[in-house]
Amino acid sequence: MRKYIGQTLRRLIGTSQATIDTIEPGSIMVSPRKPIDFDDDAAITEILDLATKIGAVLLDSGTAAIDTQEQIRFVAGVYGLENVEVDVTYNTIVVLARRGNNLPPVSTMRQVYYRSMDFTRLAQVDRLVRRIRDMALSPRTAHSIVNEIVSAPHPYPHWVATFAWGFMASGISVLLGGRFVVGAIALLTTMVIVVVNRFLNRVGIPMFFQQVAGGFITVVPAALMYAAAPSLGIELAPSQIIASGMVVLLSGLSLVGSVEDAITGAPITGVARFFELLLMTGGIIAGVSMAIRLLEGTGIYLPTITANTNFGFVDAPAQIIAGGLAAAAYALASYAEMRALPVAFMAGAIGIAVVVLTNQLSAGAIVASSIAATVTGLFGGLLARKALTPPLVVAVAGITPLLPGLAVYRGLYGILNDQSLIGFTSLASAFAIGCALAAGVTLGEFVARALRRPQIPHRPMWNLRPTWMQRTRRE
């Protein structure tokens, strides 16, 4: 039995390493083509500009500031700039290369502007960093590659991403206990939200008001269907539809990156990201509350929410499958590569399975969420390395089904209906669950990184020379 367990673990962990795993002190090897000329400002600027371009894609995709700094420093070091200082903040990257006591330092800065989430772009930049390390690409070649990556269109049409967002909301609604009708309404509602917000983004409307519009649209179809349900002979809980839409709106925010920045020593960037998270969540709450008040003025009142989400053994198989499908749908909606989708499914299913198990032990929502996120970060990180996928993709997708959309809606409903204590308690619980998810998945990823980090600095392929024994065997 021990033998088979060991074989299974070795197959799971494999020998693959994420790019960040290979960045070890002493592992940076200077390109053997020719040493960098510290008097050549143009050559140094070219290298720094390449490093900041790569860092901009990483930061845009939600990578933690510390990891972004390490990869920027790593790329510069490969080309011979070892004495480099990197400062990464919320939307700015500053890189400074020191050239000794007699020459002034050379610096460059790049503003990081928000682009739509594209995990394929992140994976391609991750592979580019590997190629720079292993194949000694010239700075000019690397520049052309990263320019093609940044300017390339999304790998899938917009309609694929739109349907994936809707399918994700449908999976969340089933996870919350909904049936076919609820899932269908959640799918169509979310697709409308995505189309409207994409239009608003195209005309330059700020993200906050896009969240307001999304929160408003989330409520209206659910309330109208609830009002028409008796005449149609169907039963549905509008809270399941609304909560699934709120999870979709919350999923695009940098929850993991903000908490990881705060934990790993980048508090300024962490606070900035966290404030953006709170502001965008406030936009969702504002849109939902506006819709509820408007509907109450027309005589449509939503039912009181009293029960928590039930993750029990009876519905466990359906909930685990729904959680996995929601995670895979989120990865597809974020334009992840096809190889990442099965890994995302496994991460989401593992997270829900752990929540089901811990709930049977009466651990509480916050403890259950933290344990589930830790296990998701660990196994998701190992599976991501096996599939040569950036671990961030799997980590964010894996915890998406666990986001507390229903708790946020329950708290808002309580505040709007003169149940302030219940409302603020639910909002505080949602806040704590969100932090527990982000901290747990960060811990799990660090454990996975520790398991996969090489013990001996790995030399690039172009720096490997055959040993005496290998030459003897060839002869």
Side-chain angles (χ1 to χ4, degrees), residues 11-159:
R11 290 174 183 172
L12 174 64
I13 297 175
T15 58
S16 302
Q17 301 157 353
T19 300
I20 191 64
D21 295 342
T22 64
I23 300 178
E24 283 279 345
S27 66
I28 297 177
M29 307 296 294
V30 180
S31 172
R33 298 187 175 186
K34 66 177 182 178
I36 189 73
D37 184 2
F38 289 110
D39 292 322
D40 191 347
D41 292 347
I44 296 176
T45 302
E46 183 183 31
I47 295 171
L48 295 183
D49 187 57
L50 171 64
T52 54
K53 281 182 180 179
I54 291 175
V57 176
L58 296 173
L59 194 63
D60 244 4
S61 302
T63 304
I66 299 300
D67 287 347
T68 303
Q69 288 179 4
E70 290 297 328
Q71 298 208 41
I72 292 174
R73 191 176 291 112
F74 178 77
V75 171
V78 168
Y79 290 109
L81 298 178
E82 296 182 335
N83 193 6
V84 173
E85 296 183 7
V86 183
D87 183 30
V88 176
T89 58
Y90 172 68
N91 61 348
T92 305
I93 297 175
V94 179
V95 184
L96 183 144
R98 298 191 179 277
R99 301 185 290 174
N101 298 326
N102 299 324
L103 294 174
V106 178
S107 63
T108 185
M109 184 186 75
R110 181 173 294 273
Q111 292 284 336
V112 180
Y113 298 102
Y114 175 79
R115 294 189 60 175
S116 58
M117 187 70 74
D118 191 332
F119 283 150
T120 293
R121 185 182 298 120
L122 175 63
Q124 290 174 342
V125 167
D126 187 84
R127 283 195 290 270
L128 174 60
V129 174
R130 289 174 176 269
R131 293 180 61 189
I132 290 173
R133 174 195 175 94
D134 295 336
M135 302 176 63
L137 296 179
S138 66
R140 179 176 298 181
T141 302
H143 265 287
S144 64
I145 294 175
V146 73
N147 288 336
E148 291 177 1
I149 292 173
V150 173
S151 61
H154 294 306
Y156 315 123
H158 283 313
W159 68 266

Side-chain angles (χ1 to χ4, degrees), residues 89-441:
T89 58
Y90 172 68
N91 61 348
T92 305
I93 297 175
V94 179
V95 184
L96 183 144
R98 298 191 179 277
R99 301 185 290 174
N101 298 326
N102 299 324
L103 294 174
V106 178
S107 63
T108 185
M109 184 186 75
R110 181 173 294 273
Q111 292 284 336
V112 180
Y113 298 102
Y114 175 79
R115 294 189 60 175
S116 58
M117 187 70 74
D118 191 332
F119 283 150
T120 293
R121 185 182 298 120
L122 175 63
Q124 290 174 342
V125 167
D126 187 84
R127 283 195 290 270
L128 174 60
V129 174
R130 289 174 176 269
R131 293 180 61 189
I132 290 173
R133 174 195 175 94
D134 295 336
M135 302 176 63
L137 296 179
S138 66
R140 179 176 298 181
T141 302
H143 265 287
S144 64
I145 294 175
V146 73
N147 288 336
E148 291 177 1
I149 292 173
V150 173
S151 61
H154 294 306
Y156 315 123
H158 283 313
W159 68 266
V160 175
T162 302
F163 180 79
W165 284 119
F167 191 77
M168 171 188 162
S170 181
I172 295 296
S173 66
V174 174
L175 181 64
L176 297 175
R179 295 295 182 256
F180 176 78
V181 175
V182 172
I185 298 172
L187 184 145
L188 296 176
T189 302
T190 302
M191 291 177 67
V192 172
I193 293 173
V194 172
V195 172
V196 171
N197 280 359
R198 189 176 290 144
F199 170 76
L200 295 177
N201 183 65
R202 191 180 301 118
V203 298
I205 302 299
M207 186 66 180
F208 174 81
F209 297 106
Q210 296 179 36
Q211 296 290 89
V212 173
F216 186 90
I217 298 173
T218 297
V219 176
V220 175
L224 295 178
M225 287 300 299
Y226 174 73
S231 59
L232 296 176
I234 58 176
E235 294 183 3
L236 60 87
S239 60
Q240 296 168 345
I241 302 173
I242 297 172
S244 63
M246 296 180 72
V247 169
V248 170
L249 294 171
L250 288 170
S251 63
L253 306 181
S254 54
L255 175 64
V256 176
S258 61
V259 175
E260 186 174 352
D261 284 335
I263 292 174
T264 57
I268 296 177
T269 306
V271 169
R273 284 182 170 181
F274 201 74
F275 180 76
E276 181 193 43
L277 173 67
L278 293 178
L279 186 64
M280 297 302 106
T281 304
I284 299 172
I285 293 175
V288 171
S289 61
M290 289 169 55
I292 291 175
R293 288 305 189 197
L294 179 62
L295 290 166
E296 288 178 352
T298 62
I300 300 176
Y301 293 87
L302 296 175
T304 304
I305 306 172
T306 57
N308 295 322
T309 306
N310 181 26
F311 292 96
F313 276 123
V314 176
D315 299 323
Q319 290 176 330
I320 291 173
I321 294 174
L325 291 176
Y330 173 76
L332 180 62
S334 300
Y335 301 102
E337 297 176 312
M338 286 297 177
R339 70 173 68 183
L341 301 186
V343 183
F345 175 87
M346 289 294 297
I350 289 172
I352 298 300
V354 173
V355 170
V356 171
L357 180 61
T358 51
N359 276 345
Q360 301 306 310
L361 303 176
S362 302
I366 298 175
V367 175
S369 298
S370 61
I371 295 174
T374 303
V375 175
T376 300
L378 173 59
F379 284 94
L382 296 176
L383 291 170
R385 287 159 172 80
K386 187 70 174 178
L388 296 179
T389 299
L392 176 67
V393 177
V394 181
V396 176
I399 67 169
T400 294
L402 302 174
L403 291 174
L406 189 59
V408 174
Y409 175 59
R410 186 184 301 111
L412 176 61
Y413 186 91
I415 293 173
L416 293 178
N417 289 274
D418 298 326
Q419 300 175 357
S420 300
L421 180 60
I422 297 176
F424 284 111
T425 301
S426 296
L427 289 179
S429 175
F431 175 79
I433 291 173
C435 292
L437 289 174
V441 78

Side-chain angles (χ1 to χ4, degrees), residues 431-450:
F431 175 79
I433 291 173
C435 292
L437 289 174
V441 78
T442 301
L443 175 61
E445 164 58 20
F446 272 104
V447 174
R449 185 181 301 179

